[in-house]
Amino acid sequence: MKFSAIAAAAALAGVVAAKDSRTFAVLRFNDKQLTKGRADPIVSPGKVASHVHVIEGGNAFSLTSTGQDLTKSTCSNANVKGDNSAYWFPSLYFHDPKTGKFESVDLYYFNAYYFFEATNDQIKAFPVGLSMVSGDAMTRVMPTGGPTGNLDPSKGPLNVAMMTCPRTTYNPPSYDPKSDGTKSGVVNPNNQGEGVGFPDRTCDGLYSPLRADVHFPSCYNPAAGLTNYKSNMAFPQDAGNGKADCPKGWIHVPHLFFEAYWDTQKFQGRWEEGKGDQPFVFSNGDVTGYSSHADFIAAWDEDVLQHIIDTCDAGSSGMDQCPGVTKNTAACHIDSPVDEVTDGILTQLPGNNPLSGWKYGSGSGSSGSQPSSPGKTTVASDPTRTAEAISSHVTKTTTKTTTKAAPPKTTSTKSATKAATKPASHAAPKPTTCNAKTHTVYKTVTVTAHAPAQTKSTAPKKSHRRRHGRRGFN
C-alpha cells in the first residue's frame, strides 16, 4: 500500500541525511505470534527446517516465502499498517528433570526495536526482500568476546545475542559468579540482570520474564544481493563524534533489535536452581542459550518505513504513535506450514534434535534442513565437533534450493501430550481474518516498563513499572 500523505510529508521534509543522535521506535505485535513451526525460508527454503521457530508478521509466510510474496499478505500481526515483513526466532522448551520430557514454553510477548543511529550516512528503508540472519544457531560455546555485548567491530569480537533476566532480587545472583562459560552461563560484569547463556535462576521480574535479545547489522551490501544472508550485511564502524557509518557503496538501513520474552516463571519450583543445571533448551537442542539467533525478511511499504525513519522518534511509546502512521489493531494467524506437534508435553524435540552443549558435549546440534524421523530423545555423541559461525555471527546452513514446488494443503498447528508419530509435511498457509487485540507498551534502554495486555486467564489486575535490561550495547 502507498500513503500519499506520508509521501507528501517526506517531500516537505526534504532529504534527510546525517543524523546527530539516535532515534528509535518499538514495533509491537498483536497477539503472541502469527504461527509456529519448523519453517525457515531463508536458511531452508522449500524444506522443513531443522528446528521450530516462532514467526511474526505477514500471513503470506510459508516455507518458500520471499519479500515479494510477503507484500501480498492480506493481514499482519505487526501493529503498524504497511509492514508485512516476517520476523522469526527459535522456540523454547522446558526439559523436565524428573520425567525427561519436553514442555513447550509460551512466548510471553515479542517486540522489534527499530533504531536509527547517529551517522553521517542517509538511513534508508529496508528494500523489499532483504533477508538477514543474526546470531549463530550452531554454536554451543561462549562468545569469544566474553559476556558483554559488542556491536562495534573496531572494539573486538562481535556479540549480538544476550539473555536478560529481570528479578525481584539478585541475591543470590542469576549466574554462578565463578562460571567460565564451559558449564553454565556467565553474567555481564556491568549488568547483573544480563549475561550470555541461560541463567541458573528463575527470572521473576513482574511482567518481565526471561528475555532473548538479538541485534541485527545495519549495513547492506547491494553487490552481495538481497538474499545472500551470509555476506550481505555488516555492522557500521565508528566514524568519530559518536557516529557510525557503513562502508562506501553500502546502504545504511535501520538497526533492528529483537526481544522475545518467555513465560518461564510458571516452571519455578520444578527444578533445582543455582546448581548449574538449568532446564531450558532451544528448539535446536541447545541447552546453553549461546545459539540464540533470529531471522528477518523485509516486506515493508518502503514509503511508510522511510517516513518513520525520517520523522519519528516515538521511542517506547510505540511505532504506531508515529505521526502519519496508521495503527493496525487486528490479530492475524495462520496454520503452521508444517503438520506436526510442537506444543504440549513431548518425548523429543520436534525434528528429534539431540541435546547439546555443556554436560551433553559441544556437538553442533541441528544443522540440516531435513526433518528427522521420530524416535527416542538423544544426546550429541561427538564432543569434538565445534560450532562454526558464518560471516558476522550468522547461522550455518545447507545449500538453498532453487525450485519452488506447489505445497499440499495446510493443516492446523497441533498440541498434545506426546510427540508426533508421523513424518512432517509442509504446506502454504491460509490467510486468516483478524480479531481486534491490544498489546504491549514497553520502555527501552534500562528504563521503566508498562505491563503488557494479556488474555483474561493471565491478565494482571493493574499495570506496574519496573526497571529492566538495556536494549543497546553501545
Side-chain angles (χ1 to χ4, degrees), residues 102-231:
F102 299 89
E103 295 182 37
S104 54
V105 179
D106 291 335
L107 179 71
Y108 201 53
Y109 61 97
F110 168 75
N111 292 328
Y113 282 73
Y114 279 68
F115 291 117
F116 317 123
E117 309 287 5
T119 181
N120 296 302
D121 303 328
Q122 180 185 1
I123 299 178
K124 296 183 178 180
F126 294 123
V128 170
L130 178 61
S131 300
M132 299 191 293
V133 179
S134 192
D136 183 0
M138 304 303 297
T139 192
R140 302 293 184 269
V141 295
M142 188 174 73
T144 55
T148 57
N150 177 37
L151 306 180
D152 185 348
S154 68
K155 295 180 180 178
L158 295 171
N159 181 12
V160 302
M162 301 284 285
M163 292 289 176
T164 297
C165 183
R167 295 175 60 208
T168 53
T169 177
Y170 293 99
N171 184 21
S174 304
Y175 295 85
D176 180 353
K178 298 179 181 179
S179 175
D180 63 0
T182 59
K183 295 181 180 180
S184 62
V186 183
V187 69
N188 180 346
N190 303 316
N191 183 351
Q192 61 183 341
E194 177 184 75
V196 290
F198 291 122
D200 200 26
R201 299 280 178 181
T202 295
C203 306
D204 61 356
L206 187 60
Y207 312 130
S208 298
L210 176 67
R211 191 179 88 207
D213 297 345
V214 179
H215 288 266
F216 285 80
S218 55
C219 294
Y220 164 56
N221 179 10
L226 292 170
T227 60
N228 186 5
Y229 69 93
K230 295 181 185 179
S231 59

Side-chain angles (χ1 to χ4, degrees), residues 85-415:
S85 304
Y87 308 73
W88 67 95
F89 44 92
S91 61
L92 189 69
Y93 291 86
F94 172 77
H95 186 209
D96 193 323
K98 292 184 179 179
T99 67
K101 293 183 178 181
F102 299 89
E103 295 182 37
S104 54
V105 179
D106 291 335
L107 179 71
Y108 201 53
Y109 61 97
F110 168 75
N111 292 328
Y113 282 73
Y114 279 68
F115 291 117
F116 317 123
E117 309 287 5
T119 181
N120 296 302
D121 303 328
Q122 180 185 1
I123 299 178
K124 296 183 178 180
F126 294 123
V128 170
L130 178 61
S131 300
M132 299 191 293
V133 179
S134 192
D136 183 0
M138 304 303 297
T139 192
R140 302 293 184 269
V141 295
M142 188 174 73
T144 55
T148 57
N150 177 37
L151 306 180
D152 185 348
S154 68
K155 295 180 180 178
L158 295 171
N159 181 12
V160 302
M162 301 284 285
M163 292 289 176
T164 297
C165 183
R167 295 175 60 208
T168 53
T169 177
Y170 293 99
N171 184 21
S174 304
Y175 295 85
D176 180 353
K178 298 179 181 179
S179 175
D180 63 0
T182 59
K183 295 181 180 180
S184 62
V186 183
V187 69
N188 180 346
N190 303 316
N191 183 351
Q192 61 183 341
E194 177 184 75
V196 290
F198 291 122
D200 200 26
R201 299 280 178 181
T202 295
C203 306
D204 61 356
L206 187 60
Y207 312 130
S208 298
L210 176 67
R211 191 179 88 207
D213 297 345
V214 179
H215 288 266
F216 285 80
S218 55
C219 294
Y220 164 56
N221 179 10
L226 292 170
T227 60
N228 186 5
Y229 69 93
K230 295 181 185 179
S231 59
N232 65 356
M233 300 298 298
F235 284 89
Q237 302 228 16
D238 187 359
N241 297 319
K243 297 182 178 181
D245 295 349
C246 294
K248 186 177 181 179
W250 292 48
I251 298 172
H252 203 142
V253 295
H255 165 189
L256 189 60
F257 168 68
F258 286 11
E259 57 174 27
Y261 285 85
W262 297 101
D263 194 7
T264 55
Q265 296 179 3
K266 68 180 183 180
F267 298 98
Q268 189 170 20
R270 294 181 56 188
W271 59 287
E272 191 173 9
E273 302 187 19
K275 301 296 183 181
D277 196 23
Q278 72 81 37
F280 296 101
V281 53
F282 278 133
S283 55
N284 60 359
D286 176 25
V287 304
T288 69
Y290 297 144
S291 73
S292 183
H293 61 280
D295 301 54
F296 172 76
I297 298 179
W300 273 91
D301 178 323
E302 292 180 43
D303 287 346
V304 174
L305 181 56
Q306 192 64 53
H307 170 74
I308 292 168
I309 294 168
D310 294 344
T311 67
C312 183
D313 188 19
S316 57
S317 295
M319 190 179 288
D320 58 293
Q321 299 301 309
C322 294
V325 170
T326 302
K327 184 173 182 177
N328 173 32
T329 59
C332 182
H333 301 279
I334 60 173
D335 292 340
S336 174
V338 179
D339 181 15
E340 69 176 348
V341 176
T342 59
D343 288 330
I345 301 175
L346 311 174
T347 58
Q348 62 192 29
L349 293 173
N352 198 19
N353 291 313
L355 297 178
S356 54
W358 292 337
K359 69 178 182 179
Y360 296 101
S362 56
S364 57
S366 59
S367 58
S369 59
Q370 297 298 330
S372 301
S373 299
K376 185 178 180 180
T377 301
T378 56
V379 174
S381 59
D382 184 1
T384 65
R385 296 178 66 190
T386 56
E388 179 183 0
I390 301 233
S391 187
S392 297
H393 296 261
V394 176
T395 310
K396 188 176 180 181
T397 181
T398 54
T399 305
K400 286 189 177 182
T401 60
T402 57
T403 59
K404 269 183 160 184
K409 184 178 179 182
T410 303
T411 56
S412 60
T413 306
K414 299 178 180 180
S415 177

Side-chain angles (χ1 to χ4, degrees), residues 440-452:
T440 316
V441 179
Y442 242 84
K443 300 288 182 183
T444 189
V445 194
T446 322
V447 289
T448 58
H450 297 290

Side-chain angles (χ1 to χ4, degrees), residues 29-31 327 329 435-440 452-454:
F29 294 80
N30 302 320
D31 234 351
K327 184 173 182 177
T329 59
N435 298 316
K437 291 273 185 179
T438 56
H439 203 50
T440 316
Q454 302 291 320

